[in-house]
Amino acid sequence: MPSKFAAAHSARLSPAVLACLPDVALILALYASDYLHERRPDLREVAAFIVDGANRWGLSELMNNTCHLVAFWQMCDDDASTDEAWTAHRERFDNYRIIHCTLTKGQYATVRRHLRAMAGERVAA
């Protein structure tokens, strides 16, 4: 399960907000957590790791890293990447870990349902 890491951010990100973010932001939120890749992950636990990772970084850093990753992927797709871009990317991200934090389309849908359910549980509590 996610650590009890206390983020130095004033507001915690709601699971409902996270459920609305694009897949790449969820990948990076999972990347920021203590998640270890499993062949058949428990998607309820993955949702908890996503909340933990997103709150470790905070919304600003999560969105900044998301923009950097998407821009790098677009540069690669356009065959415009440079050695400098690859070096900067490797300094910021571990590709192997990103791959292991990536889910299928169906898994993302289930994780989003779990995130919304977590938000509902918090409201009910």
Side-chain angles (χ1 to χ4, degrees):
M1 284 304 287
S3 71
K4 301 297 181 200
F5 180 85
H9 310 286
S10 59
R12 306 260 318 149
L13 293 170
S14 163
V17 169
L18 296 173
C20 298
L21 295 178
D23 293 350
V24 67
L26 297 183
I27 292 169
L28 288 176
L30 193 54
Y31 177 90
S33 74
D34 291 332
Y35 174 74
L36 297 174
H37 174 71
E38 298 176 13
R39 288 183 58 127
R40 292 189 176 99
D42 177 333
L43 297 178
R44 181 181 298 257
E45 283 186 13
V46 169
F49 277 110
I50 286 172
V51 172
D52 180 64
N55 282 298
R56 283 180 183 211
W57 276 354
L59 186 59
S60 177
E61 187 173 352
L62 178 61
M63 291 298 98
N64 185 42
N65 285 327
T66 299
C67 290
H68 278 280
L69 187 58
V70 169
F72 179 75
W73 284 347
Q74 186 62 53
M75 188 184 310
C76 290
D77 191 48
D78 294 341
D79 290 326
S81 62
T82 63
D83 288 340
E84 294 82 15
W86 272 101
T87 299
H89 173 74
R90 286 187 191 108
E91 288 174 0
R92 183 181 290 261
F93 299 111
D94 173 0
N95 282 333
Y96 185 77
R97 181 149 168 73
I98 287 175
I99 290 167
H100 285 301
C101 289
T102 303
L103 305 172
T104 66
K105 192 173 192 170
Q107 288 173 321
Y108 281 121
T110 301
V111 165
R112 283 186 167 80
R113 281 195 300 277
H114 286 306
L115 289 168
R116 287 188 291 274
M118 289 168 68
E121 291 167 5
R122 285 185 180 180
V123 169

